[in-house]
C-alpha cells in the first residue's frame, strides 16, 4: 500500500488530530458485549496520545432511525409491521425518537476508552454542538475527546459539506482507522478530505494492518491460494466470485449459494435456496474456471431437511445425500461429511486461504458442522499457511469456536473486506495522502 500512515507524520506534539474510528460495538442494555473494535483502535490512539497530540475521536454506532435523517425511511422489519397493519409509521418513528439517543449513544464506549487509556478521554454529548467545541478547545497535549454518534446527523451519510467543515473544526490532521466503514463514502470517512477541508490525511495502524494482510495476499498470494465462499446468495457476491476466480487457484463454494451452482451443473436441488436468474452466471463462472485451468469445487454431498428451522435453533431431523440426488421435497442446509473432508484437504495443502461466508445454516447446531469443519481446517494449518477471515458471519464463527488466535487475520470489516475481494478501491482509503 502506498498511502501515508500515522507513522509517517513528523512532530505530532500539540497537533489537533481528528481520528475516524469504528466503535460500532455490540451492546446490550448499555453494556458493551464485545470490545474487539475498541481494542483494534487502541494502537493508533495510544500512539497519538504518547506523541502529545490533541485527539478528537469520532465514530458511528448502529443505524439510527431516519428520524435523525432528512428523509423518513423505515427499515425492512418495520415496513413489514406497518404493511401487516400491526402499527403505523408515525408510532415507530415516535418510539425511535424516544429510544435512540439512549440506545445508540457512544457514552459507554467513551467510558471504556477512558479506563483503557488511563483517564485521558472525555465524552462530548454532541457531534458539532457547543459541548463538542468546548471540549475540543479544552484538550491538553496527549488528551482525547470522543464525539457523540456521527449518524445522529443525517448529514454524515449524505456528505453534507457544511457538516464536514463543522466536524473538522480546527483539525490539522485527519486519520482514518475505521476499516469497517472504509467502503462507505460518508462525511467522516472520505468527504472531509475529498472537499479539501483537511489536507493532511493518513491511515491508522488498524487500516494499515488490514490492507497489508488482505491486499498483499490478493495481489501476491503464496500459492496454492484457496478462496472459500459461502453465505446465502450468489447475487450478493457476483463480483467477488469473478475477481477471486482470477486470483486464486481453487475456489470453494458452500452455503446457500452452492445450490444455484449445482443447478447450473445440471442437478436438481429440491426446495433448496435457488436463484434462477443467476444460473446462467454460475455456468459462465464454471466455464471461466475450466478455461483458466482453475478448480471450482462444489459440495459433493449435502445435509438436507424437509423445512427451514423455525425458530432457527429448532431441533431438526436431517440426512445426508449426494448433491446429484437431492430429493424434490427436501432442502439443502449444509455441506455433507465427504465435502467437509474434501474442503479440509484443500485447505491443508494451501499456502494462502481467504474465507467469507458460512457453509450452511450455522445458527442451528445441527447445521453448523460444515462451517465448524472449515474453521477447524483453517486452525489446523496455523503457522504454515496465511489464513484470512473476511469479517461477518465467518469471523463470528471463528471467534465462537475459540479459534481466533489460530488464524493469521480476522478482518474487522465484513462489507469492506468483501469489496476488497471484489477488487474495488475503498473510498475511505482512496482519499488518503500518497507516500512521498
Ligand atoms: P451471508 O450474509 O450472505 O454471508 O449469508 C449468511 C447466511 O446464509 C446465514 O444466516 C446462513 O444461515 C445462511 N445460509 C447458509 N447456508 C444456507 C442454506 N443452505 N440455505 C439457506 N440459508 C443458508
Amino acid at each position: 500500500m502506498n498511502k501515508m500512515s500515522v507513522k509517517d507524520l513528523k512532530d505530532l506534539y500539540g497537533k489537533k488530530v481528528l481520528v475516524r474510528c469504528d466503535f460500532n460495538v455490540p451492546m446490550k442494555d448499555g453494556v458493551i458485549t464485545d470490545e474487539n473494535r475498541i481494542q483494534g483502535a487502541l494502537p493508533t490512539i495510544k500512539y497519538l496520545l504518547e506523541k502529545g497530540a490533541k485527539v478528537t475521536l469520532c465514530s458511528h454506532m448502529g443505524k439510527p432511525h431516519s428520524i435523525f435523517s432528512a428523509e423518513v425511511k423505515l427499515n425492512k422489519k418495520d415496513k413489514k409491521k406497518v404493511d401487516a397493519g400491526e402499527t403505523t409509521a408515525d408510532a415507530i418513528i415516535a418510539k425511535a425518537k424516544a429510544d435512540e439517543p439512549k440506545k445508540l449513544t457512544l457514552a459507554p464506549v467513551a467510558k471504556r476508552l477512558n479506563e483503557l487509556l488511563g483517564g485521558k478521554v472525555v465524552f462530548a454529548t454532541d457531534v458539532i454542538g457547543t459541548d463538542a467545541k468546548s471540549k475540543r478547545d479544552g484538550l491538553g497535549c496527549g488528551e482525547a475527546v470522543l464525539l457523540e454518534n456521527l449518524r445522529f446527523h443525517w448529514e454524515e451519510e449524505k456528505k453534507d459539506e457544511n457538516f464536514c467543515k463543522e466536524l473538522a473544526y480546527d483539525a490539522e490532521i485527519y486519520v482514518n482507522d475505521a476499516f469497517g466503514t472504509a467502503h462507505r463514502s460518508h462525511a467522516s470517512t472520505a468527504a472531509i478530505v475529498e472537499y479539501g477541508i483537511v489536507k493532511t490525511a493518513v491511515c491508522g495502524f488498524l487500516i494499515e494492518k488490514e490492507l497489508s494482510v488482505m491486499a498483499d495476499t490478493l495481489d501476491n498470494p503464496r500459492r496454492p491460494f484457496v478462496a472459500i465462499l459461502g453465505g446465502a446468495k450468489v447475487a450478493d457476491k457476483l463480483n467477488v466470485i469473478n475477481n477471486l476466480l482470477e486470483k486464486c487457484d481453487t475456489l470453494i463454494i458452500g452455503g446457500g449459494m452452492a445450490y444455484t451452482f449445482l443447478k447450473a451443473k445440471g442437478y436438481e436441488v429440491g426446495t433448496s435456496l435457488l436463484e434462477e436468474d443467476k444460473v446462467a452466471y454460475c455456468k459462465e463462472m464454471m466455464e471461466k474456471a475450466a478455461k483458466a485451468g482453475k478448480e471450482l469445487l462444489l459440495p459433493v454431498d449435502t445435509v438436507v431437511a424437509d423445512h427451514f428451522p423455525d425458530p432457527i435453533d429448532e431441533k431438526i431431523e436431517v440426512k445426508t445425500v449426494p448433491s446429484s440426488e437431492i430429493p424434490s421435497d427436501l432442502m439443502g442446509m449444509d455441506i455433507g461429511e465427504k465435502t467437509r473432508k474434501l474442503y479440509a484437504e484443500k485447505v491443508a495443502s494451501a499456502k494462502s486461504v481467504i474465507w467469507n461466508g458460512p457453509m450452511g445454516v450455522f445458527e442451528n447446531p445441527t447445521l453448523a458442522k460444515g462451517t465448524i469443519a472449515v474453521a477447524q481446517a483453517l486452525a489446523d494449518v496455523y503457522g504454515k499457511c496465511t489464513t484470512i477471515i473476511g469479517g461477518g458471519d465467518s469471523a463470528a464463527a471463528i471467534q465462537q469456536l475459540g479459534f481466533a488466535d489460530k488464524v493469521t487475520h480476522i478482518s474487522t470489516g465484513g462489507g469492506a473486506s468483501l469489496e476488497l475481494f471484489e477488487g474495488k478501491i475503498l473510498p475511505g482509503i482512496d482519499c488518503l495522502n500518497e507516500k512521498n
Side-chain angles (χ1 to χ4, degrees), residues 67-78:
I67 192 65
F68 298 108
S69 85
E71 305 146 26
V72 172
K73 220 169 45 191
L74 296 181
N75 64 31
K76 269 193 213 146
K77 216 166 97 199
D78 289 342

PDB file of all heavy atoms in Angstrom, residues 67-78:
ATOM      1  N   ILE A  67     -35.441   9.222  11.830  1.00  0.00           N
ATOM      2  CA  ILE A  67     -35.927  10.440  12.471  1.00  0.00           C
ATOM      3  C   ILE A  67     -34.798  11.469  12.522  1.00  0.00           C
ATOM      4  O   ILE A  67     -35.008  12.665  12.530  1.00  0.00           O
ATOM      5  CB  ILE A  67     -36.479  10.138  13.888  1.00  0.00           C
ATOM      6  CG1 ILE A  67     -37.239  11.331  14.426  1.00  0.00           C
ATOM      7  CG2 ILE A  67     -35.404   9.710  14.849  1.00  0.00           C
ATOM      8  CD1 ILE A  67     -38.469  11.643  13.660  1.00  0.00           C
ATOM      9  N   PHE A  68     -33.571  10.957  12.498  1.00  0.00           N
ATOM     10  CA  PHE A  68     -32.435  11.870  12.528  1.00  0.00           C
ATOM     11  C   PHE A  68     -31.993  12.245  11.116  1.00  0.00           C
ATOM     12  O   PHE A  68     -31.035  12.954  10.940  1.00  0.00           O
ATOM     13  CB  PHE A  68     -31.259  11.220  13.264  1.00  0.00           C
ATOM     14  CG  PHE A  68     -31.598  10.922  14.688  1.00  0.00           C
ATOM     15  CD1 PHE A  68     -31.806   9.629  15.114  1.00  0.00           C
ATOM     16  CD2 PHE A  68     -31.736  11.951  15.600  1.00  0.00           C
ATOM     17  CE1 PHE A  68     -32.132   9.353  16.416  1.00  0.00           C
ATOM     18  CE2 PHE A  68     -32.064  11.684  16.915  1.00  0.00           C
ATOM     19  CZ  PHE A  68     -32.268  10.385  17.322  1.00  0.00           C
ATOM     20  N   SER A  69     -32.668  11.708  10.131  1.00  0.00           N
ATOM     21  CA  SER A  69     -32.236  11.992   8.764  1.00  0.00           C
ATOM     22  C   SER A  69     -33.236  12.902   8.070  1.00  0.00           C
ATOM     23  O   SER A  69     -34.310  13.178   8.575  1.00  0.00           O
ATOM     24  CB  SER A  69     -32.073  10.700   7.975  1.00  0.00           C
ATOM     25  OG  SER A  69     -33.302  10.317   7.442  1.00  0.00           O
ATOM     26  N   ALA A  70     -32.836  13.353   6.908  1.00  0.00           N
ATOM     27  CA  ALA A  70     -33.691  14.284   6.176  1.00  0.00           C
ATOM     28  C   ALA A  70     -34.942  13.578   5.656  1.00  0.00           C
ATOM     29  O   ALA A  70     -35.996  14.177   5.534  1.00  0.00           O
ATOM     30  CB  ALA A  70     -32.905  14.864   5.012  1.00  0.00           C
ATOM     31  N   GLU A  71     -34.799  12.305   5.327  1.00  0.00           N
ATOM     32  CA  GLU A  71     -35.952  11.580   4.787  1.00  0.00           C
ATOM     33  C   GLU A  71     -36.457  10.591   5.822  1.00  0.00           C
ATOM     34  O   GLU A  71     -35.702  10.071   6.600  1.00  0.00           O
ATOM     35  CB  GLU A  71     -35.529  10.729   3.580  1.00  0.00           C
ATOM     36  CG  GLU A  71     -34.854  11.471   2.508  1.00  0.00           C
ATOM     37  CD  GLU A  71     -33.808  10.600   1.844  1.00  0.00           C
ATOM     38  OE1 GLU A  71     -33.936   9.360   1.866  1.00  0.00           O
ATOM     39  OE2 GLU A  71     -32.854  11.177   1.325  1.00  0.00           O
ATOM     40  N   VAL A  72     -37.744  10.320   5.755  1.00  0.00           N
ATOM     41  CA  VAL A  72     -38.286   9.297   6.650  1.00  0.00           C
ATOM     42  C   VAL A  72     -38.324   7.988   5.873  1.00  0.00           C
ATOM     43  O   VAL A  72     -39.052   7.845   4.904  1.00  0.00           O
ATOM     44  CB  VAL A  72     -39.693   9.683   7.144  1.00  0.00           C
ATOM     45  CG1 VAL A  72     -40.311   8.538   7.912  1.00  0.00           C
ATOM     46  CG2 VAL A  72     -39.589  10.918   8.010  1.00  0.00           C
ATOM     47  N   LYS A  73     -37.478   7.056   6.287  1.00  0.00           N
ATOM     48  CA  LYS A  73     -37.363   5.782   5.561  1.00  0.00           C
ATOM     49  C   LYS A  73     -37.407   4.677   6.609  1.00  0.00           C
ATOM     50  O   LYS A  73     -36.574   4.630   7.495  1.00  0.00           O
ATOM     51  CB  LYS A  73     -36.024   5.758   4.831  1.00  0.00           C
ATOM     52  CG  LYS A  73     -36.107   5.169   3.457  1.00  0.00           C
ATOM     53  CD  LYS A  73     -34.833   5.394   2.663  1.00  0.00           C
ATOM     54  CE  LYS A  73     -33.575   5.114   3.418  1.00  0.00           C
ATOM     55  NZ  LYS A  73     -32.340   5.500   2.882  1.00  0.00           N
ATOM     56  N   LEU A  74     -38.370   3.779   6.526  1.00  0.00           N
ATOM     57  CA  LEU A  74     -38.451   2.706   7.520  1.00  0.00           C
ATOM     58  C   LEU A  74     -37.537   1.564   7.109  1.00  0.00           C
ATOM     59  O   LEU A  74     -37.349   1.320   5.919  1.00  0.00           O
ATOM     60  CB  LEU A  74     -39.880   2.166   7.589  1.00  0.00           C
ATOM     61  CG  LEU A  74     -40.947   3.147   8.057  1.00  0.00           C
ATOM     62  CD1 LEU A  74     -42.296   2.453   8.089  1.00  0.00           C
ATOM     63  CD2 LEU A  74     -40.626   3.710   9.429  1.00  0.00           C
ATOM     64  N   ASN A  75     -36.974   0.873   8.107  1.00  0.00           N
ATOM     65  CA  ASN A  75     -36.199  -0.302   7.730  1.00  0.00           C
ATOM     66  C   ASN A  75     -37.161  -1.444   7.369  1.00  0.00           C
ATOM     67  O   ASN A  75     -38.371  -1.337   7.572  1.00  0.00           O
ATOM     68  CB  ASN A  75     -35.197  -0.695   8.827  1.00  0.00           C
ATOM     69  CG  ASN A  75     -35.872  -1.124  10.110  1.00  0.00           C
ATOM     70  OD1 ASN A  75     -36.976  -1.675  10.074  1.00  0.00           O
ATOM     71  ND2 ASN A  75     -35.233  -0.872  11.236  1.00  0.00           N
ATOM     72  N   LYS A  76     -36.595  -2.546   6.817  1.00  0.00           N
ATOM     73  CA  LYS A  76     -37.429  -3.624   6.256  1.00  0.00           C
ATOM     74  C   LYS A  76     -38.378  -4.225   7.296  1.00  0.00           C
ATOM     75  O   LYS A  76     -39.545  -4.472   7.027  1.00  0.00           O
ATOM     76  CB  LYS A  76     -36.525  -4.732   5.717  1.00  0.00           C
ATOM     77  CG  LYS A  76     -36.165  -4.541   4.269  1.00  0.00           C
ATOM     78  CD  LYS A  76     -35.551  -5.850   3.747  1.00  0.00           C
ATOM     79  CE  LYS A  76     -34.499  -5.523   2.706  1.00  0.00           C
ATOM     80  NZ  LYS A  76     -33.379  -6.432   2.706  1.00  0.00           N
ATOM     81  N   LYS A  77     -37.824  -4.448   8.511  1.00  0.00           N
ATOM     82  CA  LYS A  77     -38.603  -5.105   9.557  1.00  0.00           C
ATOM     83  C   LYS A  77     -39.809  -4.235   9.938  1.00  0.00           C
ATOM     84  O   LYS A  77     -40.943  -4.708  10.043  1.00  0.00           O
ATOM     85  CB  LYS A  77     -37.702  -5.327  10.787  1.00  0.00           C
ATOM     86  CG  LYS A  77     -37.982  -6.627  11.507  1.00  0.00           C
ATOM     87  CD  LYS A  77     -36.880  -6.968  12.475  1.00  0.00           C
ATOM     88  CE  LYS A  77     -37.258  -6.517  13.876  1.00  0.00           C
ATOM     89  NZ  LYS A  77     -36.116  -6.409  14.782  1.00  0.00           N
ATOM     90  N   ASP A  78     -39.540  -2.932  10.106  1.00  0.00           N
ATOM     91  CA  ASP A  78     -40.624  -2.007  10.478  1.00  0.00           C
ATOM     92  C   ASP A  78     -41.662  -1.901   9.362  1.00  0.00           C
ATOM     93  O   ASP A  78     -42.859  -1.833   9.613  1.00  0.00           O
ATOM     94  CB  ASP A  78     -40.054  -0.615  10.781  1.00  0.00           C
ATOM     95  CG  ASP A  78     -39.269  -0.622  12.086  1.00  0.00           C
ATOM     96  OD1 ASP A  78     -39.467  -1.567  12.871  1.00  0.00           O
ATOM     97  OD2 ASP A  78     -38.463   0.297  12.301  1.00  0.00           O
TER      98      ASP A  78
END
